[in-house]
Amino acid sequence: MEDGTSMSLGHCGDTDYDVLQWDQREDCEVRQILDRIADKWSLQVIALLDRRSLRFTELRRMIDGVSQRMLTRTLRHLERDGLVSRTVHATVPPRVDYALTPLGGTLHATIRALVTWTEEHQSEIATARAAYDVRVAAEQEEAAAEAAGRDAVARLVLAVRR
Amino acid sequence: MEDGTSMSLGHCGDTDYDVLQWDQREDCEVRQILDRIADKWSLQVIALLDRRSLRFTELRRMIDGVSQRMLTRTLRHLERDGLVSRTVHATVPPRVDYALTPLGGTLHATIRALVTWTEEHQSEIATARAAYDVRVAAEQEEAAAEAAGRDAVARLVLAVRR
DNA sequence: CAGTATCCCCATAGATACTG
DNA sequence: CAGTATCTATGGGGATACTG
């Protein structure tokens, strides 16, 4: 076995509980779910399984670039969290079906809000980035010019002294 | 400079655009936002700044365990995406205020949905995990027992042959 | 088919030291 | 105070080989 977030989960660190916010607590449930959905493959898996249940190899083919190892790991994590169910059919060759659980379905629905937000605001973000990058570039040029100015002065001083 | 997702962002990979889903596209806006809010510190920063604007050191003190480097990086990223604003007061000693932009505010509101979901379902998740762990442990014991049985048989065979 | 087991890389977090 | 610069270490994730 490779890992597993350990069993002693608990309800986050409970120091000054009432003063702190969900996002203040280290390793709380929110963080764990966030880490799960933010990892490279989980979200794609969830989205695909929301349409219909799929076999291992079907998922593997549909998710471009995923390795067997990573797909297995991702599915195990999702299964452990109760977001995805795994049914093994004792046939030859073996057949394993993965499906989204009701719980997983509600999570996917929730995530959609974030997707919608992103779609609605992506142009604002792009604009902000462009503006930021320009600003940074300008500052760098300024700094370079200043440095060049200092050098010029230094050379002048040397020339005069000679 | 250290990095910056490069400037050639674009609207994700545009292969078979209409067939694919948002979550199928590699490196699309959704992924970028997800990576941002899912990273270790961004969310805490956003949540704190949603209450009131804060100075660098205030943030540093309020966010337990964050290093200068990480806080700076986090703030720069958030600033670049237009989620956080940075105002430098030309005083001695210097004073820099960070605040959530309107855009950042709407993002925080959206994320709250995810937090709510997590709070509502954390017991289900915990139950699922416990069940999964028990299942895995049982399978392992089973496998161990089987292996032990095989060994016993093997020893018997050897004993009889002698 | 649906995995497990290994090895390896490299991107990023964290610690430390220095600066306008 | 509010950073930048540099180094190291951890682990996520890819490639490959093997198996029930």
PDB file of all heavy atoms in Angstrom, chain A residues 90-122:
ATOM      1  N   ALA A  90     -17.201 -10.772 -11.705  1.00  0.00           N
ATOM      2  CA  ALA A  90     -16.303 -11.925 -11.715  1.00  0.00           C
ATOM      3  C   ALA A  90     -16.400 -12.675 -13.029  1.00  0.00           C
ATOM      4  O   ALA A  90     -16.916 -13.782 -13.108  1.00  0.00           O
ATOM      5  CB  ALA A  90     -16.643 -12.843 -10.544  1.00  0.00           C
ATOM      6  N   THR A  91     -15.943 -12.045 -14.076  1.00  0.00           N
ATOM      7  CA  THR A  91     -15.956 -12.666 -15.401  1.00  0.00           C
ATOM      8  C   THR A  91     -14.533 -12.795 -15.914  1.00  0.00           C
ATOM      9  O   THR A  91     -13.601 -12.313 -15.295  1.00  0.00           O
ATOM     10  CB  THR A  91     -16.747 -11.798 -16.392  1.00  0.00           C
ATOM     11  OG1 THR A  91     -16.110 -10.506 -16.447  1.00  0.00           O
ATOM     12  CG2 THR A  91     -18.184 -11.642 -15.960  1.00  0.00           C
ATOM     13  N   VAL A  92     -14.399 -13.497 -17.033  1.00  0.00           N
ATOM     14  CA  VAL A  92     -13.096 -13.555 -17.687  1.00  0.00           C
ATOM     15  C   VAL A  92     -13.266 -13.088 -19.109  1.00  0.00           C
ATOM     16  O   VAL A  92     -14.044 -13.667 -19.852  1.00  0.00           O
ATOM     17  CB  VAL A  92     -12.542 -15.007 -17.699  1.00  0.00           C
ATOM     18  CG1 VAL A  92     -11.263 -15.062 -18.516  1.00  0.00           C
ATOM     19  CG2 VAL A  92     -12.310 -15.497 -16.274  1.00  0.00           C
ATOM     20  N   PRO A  93     -12.571 -12.011 -19.471  1.00  0.00           N
ATOM     21  CA  PRO A  93     -11.671 -11.197 -18.651  1.00  0.00           C
ATOM     22  C   PRO A  93     -12.439 -10.386 -17.622  1.00  0.00           C
ATOM     23  O   PRO A  93     -13.621 -10.133 -17.824  1.00  0.00           O
ATOM     24  CB  PRO A  93     -10.995 -10.285 -19.680  1.00  0.00           C
ATOM     25  CG  PRO A  93     -11.961 -10.194 -20.796  1.00  0.00           C
ATOM     26  CD  PRO A  93     -12.684 -11.490 -20.843  1.00  0.00           C
ATOM     27  N   PRO A  94     -11.788  -9.979 -16.571  1.00  0.00           N
ATOM     28  CA  PRO A  94     -12.438  -9.211 -15.511  1.00  0.00           C
ATOM     29  C   PRO A  94     -13.037  -7.908 -16.025  1.00  0.00           C
ATOM     30  O   PRO A  94     -12.553  -7.340 -16.996  1.00  0.00           O
ATOM     31  CB  PRO A  94     -11.316  -8.952 -14.517  1.00  0.00           C
ATOM     32  CG  PRO A  94     -10.065  -9.169 -15.260  1.00  0.00           C
ATOM     33  CD  PRO A  94     -10.366 -10.186 -16.285  1.00  0.00           C
ATOM     34  N   ARG A  95     -14.072  -7.468 -15.353  1.00  0.00           N
ATOM     35  CA  ARG A  95     -14.708  -6.211 -15.731  1.00  0.00           C
ATOM     36  C   ARG A  95     -15.016  -5.435 -14.453  1.00  0.00           C
ATOM     37  O   ARG A  95     -15.652  -5.949 -13.535  1.00  0.00           O
ATOM     38  CB  ARG A  95     -16.005  -6.508 -16.493  1.00  0.00           C
ATOM     39  CG  ARG A  95     -16.823  -5.284 -16.789  1.00  0.00           C
ATOM     40  CD  ARG A  95     -18.232  -5.662 -17.228  1.00  0.00           C
ATOM     41  NE  ARG A  95     -18.988  -4.450 -17.524  1.00  0.00           N
ATOM     42  CZ  ARG A  95     -19.058  -3.899 -18.745  1.00  0.00           C
ATOM     43  NH1 ARG A  95     -18.468  -4.477 -19.755  1.00  0.00           N
ATOM     44  NH2 ARG A  95     -19.740  -2.779 -18.923  1.00  0.00           N
ATOM     45  N   VAL A  96     -14.551  -4.213 -14.408  1.00  0.00           N
ATOM     46  CA  VAL A  96     -14.780  -3.387 -13.228  1.00  0.00           C
ATOM     47  C   VAL A  96     -15.476  -2.104 -13.648  1.00  0.00           C
ATOM     48  O   VAL A  96     -14.974  -1.386 -14.512  1.00  0.00           O
ATOM     49  CB  VAL A  96     -13.450  -3.055 -12.518  1.00  0.00           C
ATOM     50  CG1 VAL A  96     -13.700  -2.196 -11.295  1.00  0.00           C
ATOM     51  CG2 VAL A  96     -12.713  -4.323 -12.136  1.00  0.00           C
ATOM     52  N   ASP A  97     -16.595  -1.844 -13.027  1.00  0.00           N
ATOM     53  CA  ASP A  97     -17.335  -0.626 -13.359  1.00  0.00           C
ATOM     54  C   ASP A  97     -17.197   0.406 -12.265  1.00  0.00           C
ATOM     55  O   ASP A  97     -17.327   0.086 -11.085  1.00  0.00           O
ATOM     56  CB  ASP A  97     -18.817  -0.949 -13.578  1.00  0.00           C
ATOM     57  CG  ASP A  97     -19.059  -1.529 -14.950  1.00  0.00           C
ATOM     58  OD1 ASP A  97     -18.467  -1.005 -15.909  1.00  0.00           O
ATOM     59  OD2 ASP A  97     -19.817  -2.510 -15.055  1.00  0.00           O
ATOM     60  N   TYR A  98     -16.967   1.628 -12.679  1.00  0.00           N
ATOM     61  CA  TYR A  98     -16.907   2.736 -11.746  1.00  0.00           C
ATOM     62  C   TYR A  98     -18.101   3.637 -11.994  1.00  0.00           C
ATOM     63  O   TYR A  98     -18.454   3.901 -13.144  1.00  0.00           O
ATOM     64  CB  TYR A  98     -15.613   3.520 -11.919  1.00  0.00           C
ATOM     65  CG  TYR A  98     -14.404   2.752 -11.467  1.00  0.00           C
ATOM     66  CD1 TYR A  98     -13.651   2.011 -12.361  1.00  0.00           C
ATOM     67  CD2 TYR A  98     -14.020   2.749 -10.130  1.00  0.00           C
ATOM     68  CE1 TYR A  98     -12.538   1.288 -11.937  1.00  0.00           C
ATOM     69  CE2 TYR A  98     -12.918   2.033  -9.697  1.00  0.00           C
ATOM     70  CZ  TYR A  98     -12.184   1.304 -10.608  1.00  0.00           C
ATOM     71  OH  TYR A  98     -11.102   0.585 -10.180  1.00  0.00           O
ATOM     72  N   ALA A  99     -18.700   4.087 -10.894  1.00  0.00           N
ATOM     73  CA  ALA A  99     -19.858   4.977 -11.020  1.00  0.00           C
ATOM     74  C   ALA A  99     -19.789   6.053  -9.953  1.00  0.00           C
ATOM     75  O   ALA A  99     -19.147   5.876  -8.908  1.00  0.00           O
ATOM     76  CB  ALA A  99     -21.135   4.167 -10.880  1.00  0.00           C
ATOM     77  N   LEU A 100     -20.428   7.157 -10.245  1.00  0.00           N
ATOM     78  CA  LEU A 100     -20.491   8.221  -9.249  1.00  0.00           C
ATOM     79  C   LEU A 100     -21.571   7.863  -8.233  1.00  0.00           C
ATOM     80  O   LEU A 100     -22.678   7.461  -8.591  1.00  0.00           O
ATOM     81  CB  LEU A 100     -20.842   9.537  -9.947  1.00  0.00           C
ATOM     82  CG  LEU A 100     -20.296  10.819  -9.335  1.00  0.00           C
ATOM     83  CD1 LEU A 100     -18.792  10.776  -9.270  1.00  0.00           C
ATOM     84  CD2 LEU A 100     -20.760  12.021 -10.138  1.00  0.00           C
ATOM     85  N   THR A 101     -21.268   8.006  -6.982  1.00  0.00           N
ATOM     86  CA  THR A 101     -22.277   7.790  -5.943  1.00  0.00           C
ATOM     87  C   THR A 101     -23.157   9.040  -5.845  1.00  0.00           C
ATOM     88  O   THR A 101     -22.804  10.081  -6.402  1.00  0.00           O
ATOM     89  CB  THR A 101     -21.623   7.559  -4.582  1.00  0.00           C
ATOM     90  OG1 THR A 101     -20.898   8.743  -4.223  1.00  0.00           O
ATOM     91  CG2 THR A 101     -20.674   6.385  -4.616  1.00  0.00           C
ATOM     92  N   PRO A 102     -24.268   8.947  -5.167  1.00  0.00           N
ATOM     93  CA  PRO A 102     -25.092  10.152  -4.949  1.00  0.00           C
ATOM     94  C   PRO A 102     -24.262  11.263  -4.325  1.00  0.00           C
ATOM     95  O   PRO A 102     -24.349  12.426  -4.743  1.00  0.00           O
ATOM     96  CB  PRO A 102     -26.171   9.662  -3.982  1.00  0.00           C
ATOM     97  CG  PRO A 102     -26.311   8.205  -4.281  1.00  0.00           C
ATOM     98  CD  PRO A 102     -24.934   7.727  -4.640  1.00  0.00           C
ATOM     99  N   LEU A 103     -23.439  10.886  -3.358  1.00  0.00           N
ATOM    100  CA  LEU A 103     -22.570  11.880  -2.724  1.00  0.00           C
ATOM    101  C   LEU A 103     -21.671  12.562  -3.747  1.00  0.00           C
ATOM    102  O   LEU A 103     -21.545  13.786  -3.785  1.00  0.00           O
ATOM    103  CB  LEU A 103     -21.716  11.207  -1.641  1.00  0.00           C
ATOM    104  CG  LEU A 103     -20.841  12.117  -0.795  1.00  0.00           C
ATOM    105  CD1 LEU A 103     -21.695  13.069   0.020  1.00  0.00           C
ATOM    106  CD2 LEU A 103     -19.930  11.302   0.118  1.00  0.00           C
ATOM    107  N   GLY A 104     -21.069  11.756  -4.586  1.00  0.00           N
ATOM    108  CA  GLY A 104     -20.215  12.304  -5.632  1.00  0.00           C
ATOM    109  C   GLY A 104     -20.994  13.210  -6.568  1.00  0.00           C
ATOM    110  O   GLY A 104     -20.475  14.229  -7.038  1.00  0.00           O
ATOM    111  N   GLY A 105     -22.220  12.848  -6.819  1.00  0.00           N
ATOM    112  CA  GLY A 105     -23.062  13.663  -7.684  1.00  0.00           C
ATOM    113  C   GLY A 105     -23.295  15.048  -7.113  1.00  0.00           C
ATOM    114  O   GLY A 105     -23.187  16.049  -7.828  1.00  0.00           O
ATOM    115  N   THR A 106     -23.552  15.105  -5.825  1.00  0.00           N
ATOM    116  CA  THR A 106     -23.789  16.418  -5.215  1.00  0.00           C
ATOM    117  C   THR A 106     -22.511  17.260  -5.211  1.00  0.00           C
ATOM    118  O   THR A 106     -22.556  18.470  -5.398  1.00  0.00           O
ATOM    119  CB  THR A 106     -24.301  16.289  -3.763  1.00  0.00           C
ATOM    120  OG1 THR A 106     -23.296  15.674  -2.961  1.00  0.00           O
ATOM    121  CG2 THR A 106     -25.578  15.461  -3.701  1.00  0.00           C
ATOM    122  N   LEU A 107     -21.379  16.570  -5.045  1.00  0.00           N
ATOM    123  CA  LEU A 107     -20.118  17.312  -5.087  1.00  0.00           C
ATOM    124  C   LEU A 107     -19.903  17.914  -6.474  1.00  0.00           C
ATOM    125  O   LEU A 107     -19.550  19.079  -6.608  1.00  0.00           O
ATOM    126  CB  LEU A 107     -18.945  16.396  -4.731  1.00  0.00           C
ATOM    127  CG  LEU A 107     -17.576  17.057  -4.835  1.00  0.00           C
ATOM    128  CD1 LEU A 107     -17.503  18.280  -3.931  1.00  0.00           C
ATOM    129  CD2 LEU A 107     -16.460  16.081  -4.497  1.00  0.00           C
ATOM    130  N   HIS A 108     -20.150  17.108  -7.484  1.00  0.00           N
ATOM    131  CA  HIS A 108     -19.980  17.603  -8.843  1.00  0.00           C
ATOM    132  C   HIS A 108     -20.867  18.812  -9.111  1.00  0.00           C
ATOM    133  O   HIS A 108     -20.444  19.789  -9.718  1.00  0.00           O
ATOM    134  CB  HIS A 108     -20.273  16.498  -9.858  1.00  0.00           C
ATOM    135  CG  HIS A 108     -19.919  16.874 -11.264  1.00  0.00           C
ATOM    136  ND1 HIS A 108     -20.651  16.493 -12.337  1.00  0.00           N
ATOM    137  CD2 HIS A 108     -18.897  17.625 -11.748  1.00  0.00           C
ATOM    138  CE1 HIS A 108     -20.108  16.988 -13.445  1.00  0.00           C
ATOM    139  NE2 HIS A 108     -19.040  17.675 -13.113  1.00  0.00           N
ATOM    140  N   ALA A 109     -22.086  18.725  -8.618  1.00  0.00           N
ATOM    141  CA  ALA A 109     -23.018  19.846  -8.797  1.00  0.00           C
ATOM    142  C   ALA A 109     -22.450  21.102  -8.135  1.00  0.00           C
ATOM    143  O   ALA A 109     -22.532  22.200  -8.688  1.00  0.00           O
ATOM    144  CB  ALA A 109     -24.372  19.493  -8.191  1.00  0.00           C
ATOM    145  N   THR A 110     -21.868  20.917  -6.964  1.00  0.00           N
ATOM    146  CA  THR A 110     -21.316  22.055  -6.239  1.00  0.00           C
ATOM    147  C   THR A 110     -20.131  22.664  -6.971  1.00  0.00           C
ATOM    148  O   THR A 110     -19.993  23.879  -7.069  1.00  0.00           O
ATOM    149  CB  THR A 110     -20.873  21.615  -4.833  1.00  0.00           C
ATOM    150  OG1 THR A 110     -21.968  20.975  -4.188  1.00  0.00           O
ATOM    151  CG2 THR A 110     -20.419  22.803  -4.019  1.00  0.00           C
ATOM    152  N   ILE A 111     -19.301  21.796  -7.489  1.00  0.00           N
ATOM    153  CA  ILE A 111     -18.127  22.280  -8.202  1.00  0.00           C
ATOM    154  C   ILE A 111     -18.525  23.103  -9.420  1.00  0.00           C
ATOM    155  O   ILE A 111     -17.829  24.027  -9.820  1.00  0.00           O
ATOM    156  CB  ILE A 111     -17.243  21.100  -8.639  1.00  0.00           C
ATOM    157  CG1 ILE A 111     -16.677  20.409  -7.398  1.00  0.00           C
ATOM    158  CG2 ILE A 111     -16.125  21.565  -9.540  1.00  0.00           C
ATOM    159  CD1 ILE A 111     -15.989  19.106  -7.701  1.00  0.00           C
ATOM    160  N   ARG A 112     -19.663  22.748  -9.985  1.00  0.00           N
ATOM    161  CA  ARG A 112     -20.121  23.459 -11.175  1.00  0.00           C
ATOM    162  C   ARG A 112     -20.208  24.961 -10.924  1.00  0.00           C
ATOM    163  O   ARG A 112     -19.969  25.767 -11.819  1.00  0.00           O
ATOM    164  CB  ARG A 112     -21.500  22.932 -11.590  1.00  0.00           C
ATOM    165  CG  ARG A 112     -21.429  21.627 -12.337  1.00  0.00           C
ATOM    166  CD  ARG A 112     -22.400  21.670 -13.526  1.00  0.00           C
ATOM    167  NE  ARG A 112     -22.216  20.508 -14.380  1.00  0.00           N
ATOM    168  CZ  ARG A 112     -22.756  19.314 -14.139  1.00  0.00           C
ATOM    169  NH1 ARG A 112     -23.483  19.132 -13.056  1.00  0.00           N
ATOM    170  NH2 ARG A 112     -22.548  18.311 -14.972  1.00  0.00           N
ATOM    171  N   ALA A 113     -20.553  25.337  -9.692  1.00  0.00           N
ATOM    172  CA  ALA A 113     -20.650  26.754  -9.362  1.00  0.00           C
ATOM    173  C   ALA A 113     -19.306  27.444  -9.606  1.00  0.00           C
ATOM    174  O   ALA A 113     -19.243  28.549 -10.136  1.00  0.00           O
ATOM    175  CB  ALA A 113     -21.073  26.927  -7.907  1.00  0.00           C
ATOM    176  N   LEU A 114     -18.270  26.736  -9.241  1.00  0.00           N
ATOM    177  CA  LEU A 114     -16.932  27.284  -9.417  1.00  0.00           C
ATOM    178  C   LEU A 114     -16.589  27.398 -10.900  1.00  0.00           C
ATOM    179  O   LEU A 114     -15.978  28.381 -11.340  1.00  0.00           O
ATOM    180  CB  LEU A 114     -15.924  26.367  -8.715  1.00  0.00           C
ATOM    181  CG  LEU A 114     -14.602  26.989  -8.356  1.00  0.00           C
ATOM    182  CD1 LEU A 114     -14.814  28.157  -7.408  1.00  0.00           C
ATOM    183  CD2 LEU A 114     -13.697  25.946  -7.725  1.00  0.00           C
ATOM    184  N   VAL A 115     -17.000  26.405 -11.644  1.00  0.00           N
ATOM    185  CA  VAL A 115     -16.755  26.426 -13.079  1.00  0.00           C
ATOM    186  C   VAL A 115     -17.483  27.603 -13.708  1.00  0.00           C
ATOM    187  O   VAL A 115     -16.920  28.343 -14.521  1.00  0.00           O
ATOM    188  CB  VAL A 115     -17.229  25.113 -13.718  1.00  0.00           C
ATOM    189  CG1 VAL A 115     -17.080  25.178 -15.231  1.00  0.00           C
ATOM    190  CG2 VAL A 115     -16.460  23.942 -13.159  1.00  0.00           C
ATOM    191  N   THR A 116     -18.713  27.781 -13.300  1.00  0.00           N
ATOM    192  CA  THR A 116     -19.502  28.894 -13.815  1.00  0.00           C
ATOM    193  C   THR A 116     -18.834  30.219 -13.494  1.00  0.00           C
ATOM    194  O   THR A 116     -18.703  31.088 -14.360  1.00  0.00           O
ATOM    195  CB  THR A 116     -20.914  28.873 -13.193  1.00  0.00           C
ATOM    196  OG1 THR A 116     -21.488  27.590 -13.426  1.00  0.00           O
ATOM    197  CG2 THR A 116     -21.778  29.949 -13.803  1.00  0.00           C
ATOM    198  N   TRP A 117     -18.393  30.358 -12.253  1.00  0.00           N
ATOM    199  CA  TRP A 117     -17.711  31.587 -11.855  1.00  0.00           C
ATOM    200  C   TRP A 117     -16.527  31.840 -12.772  1.00  0.00           C
ATOM    201  O   TRP A 117     -16.314  32.950 -13.259  1.00  0.00           O
ATOM    202  CB  TRP A 117     -17.232  31.496 -10.397  1.00  0.00           C
ATOM    203  CG  TRP A 117     -16.558  32.753  -9.936  1.00  0.00           C
ATOM    204  CD1 TRP A 117     -17.154  33.810  -9.310  1.00  0.00           C
ATOM    205  CD2 TRP A 117     -15.173  33.090 -10.085  1.00  0.00           C
ATOM    206  NE1 TRP A 117     -16.224  34.789  -9.060  1.00  0.00           N
ATOM    207  CE2 TRP A 117     -15.009  34.384  -9.522  1.00  0.00           C
ATOM    208  CE3 TRP A 117     -14.065  32.448 -10.628  1.00  0.00           C
ATOM    209  CZ2 TRP A 117     -13.764  35.023  -9.500  1.00  0.00           C
ATOM    210  CZ3 TRP A 117     -12.834  33.087 -10.619  1.00  0.00           C
ATOM    211  CH2 TRP A 117     -12.688  34.359 -10.052  1.00  0.00           C
ATOM    212  N   THR A 118     -15.749  30.807 -12.985  1.00  0.00           N
ATOM    213  CA  THR A 118     -14.562  30.947 -13.814  1.00  0.00           C
ATOM    214  C   THR A 118     -14.915  31.381 -15.230  1.00  0.00           C
ATOM    215  O   THR A 118     -14.284  32.272 -15.797  1.00  0.00           O
ATOM    216  CB  THR A 118     -13.779  29.617 -13.872  1.00  0.00           C
ATOM    217  OG1 THR A 118     -13.540  29.160 -12.544  1.00  0.00           O
ATOM    218  CG2 THR A 118     -12.462  29.802 -14.595  1.00  0.00           C
ATOM    219  N   GLU A 119     -15.938  30.754 -15.763  1.00  0.00           N
ATOM    220  CA  GLU A 119     -16.341  31.108 -17.124  1.00  0.00           C
ATOM    221  C   GLU A 119     -16.812  32.559 -17.191  1.00  0.00           C
ATOM    222  O   GLU A 119     -16.502  33.278 -18.128  1.00  0.00           O
ATOM    223  CB  GLU A 119     -17.453  30.166 -17.595  1.00  0.00           C
ATOM    224  CG  GLU A 119     -16.901  28.801 -17.989  1.00  0.00           C
ATOM    225  CD  GLU A 119     -18.000  27.770 -18.167  1.00  0.00           C
ATOM    226  OE1 GLU A 119     -19.155  28.054 -17.809  1.00  0.00           O
ATOM    227  OE2 GLU A 119     -17.682  26.668 -18.655  1.00  0.00           O
ATOM    228  N   GLU A 120     -17.518  32.970 -16.163  1.00  0.00           N
ATOM    229  CA  GLU A 120     -18.047  34.336 -16.155  1.00  0.00           C
ATOM    230  C   GLU A 120     -16.955  35.394 -15.985  1.00  0.00           C
ATOM    231  O   GLU A 120     -17.096  36.520 -16.430  1.00  0.00           O
ATOM    232  CB  GLU A 120     -19.079  34.489 -15.025  1.00  0.00           C
ATOM    233  CG  GLU A 120     -20.434  33.884 -15.367  1.00  0.00           C
ATOM    234  CD  GLU A 120     -21.346  33.843 -14.146  1.00  0.00           C
ATOM    235  OE1 GLU A 120     -20.898  34.242 -13.062  1.00  0.00           O
ATOM    236  OE2 GLU A 120     -22.493  33.405 -14.288  1.00  0.00           O
ATOM    237  N   HIS A 121     -15.866  34.999 -15.316  1.00  0.00           N
ATOM    238  CA  HIS A 121     -14.869  36.012 -14.980  1.00  0.00           C
ATOM    239  C   HIS A 121     -13.516  35.829 -15.658  1.00  0.00           C
ATOM    240  O   HIS A 121     -12.571  36.541 -15.353  1.00  0.00           O
ATOM    241  CB  HIS A 121     -14.674  36.046 -13.460  1.00  0.00           C
ATOM    242  CG  HIS A 121     -15.916  36.397 -12.719  1.00  0.00           C
ATOM    243  ND1 HIS A 121     -16.381  37.684 -12.613  1.00  0.00           N
ATOM    244  CD2 HIS A 121     -16.818  35.634 -12.060  1.00  0.00           C
ATOM    245  CE1 HIS A 121     -17.503  37.693 -11.913  1.00  0.00           C
ATOM    246  NE2 HIS A 121     -17.793  36.461 -11.565  1.00  0.00           N
ATOM    247  N   GLN A 122     -13.432  34.879 -16.547  1.00  0.00           N
ATOM    248  CA  GLN A 122     -12.119  34.610 -17.134  1.00  0.00           C
ATOM    249  C   GLN A 122     -11.561  35.785 -17.911  1.00  0.00           C
ATOM    250  O   GLN A 122     -10.341  35.983 -17.951  1.00  0.00           O
ATOM    251  CB  GLN A 122     -12.137  33.331 -17.977  1.00  0.00           C
ATOM    252  CG  GLN A 122     -13.103  33.318 -19.121  1.00  0.00           C
ATOM    253  CD  GLN A 122     -12.968  32.009 -19.902  1.00  0.00           C
ATOM    254  OE1 GLN A 122     -12.161  31.888 -20.810  1.00  0.00           O
ATOM    255  NE2 GLN A 122     -13.752  31.020 -19.529  1.00  0.00           N
TER     256      GLN A 122
END
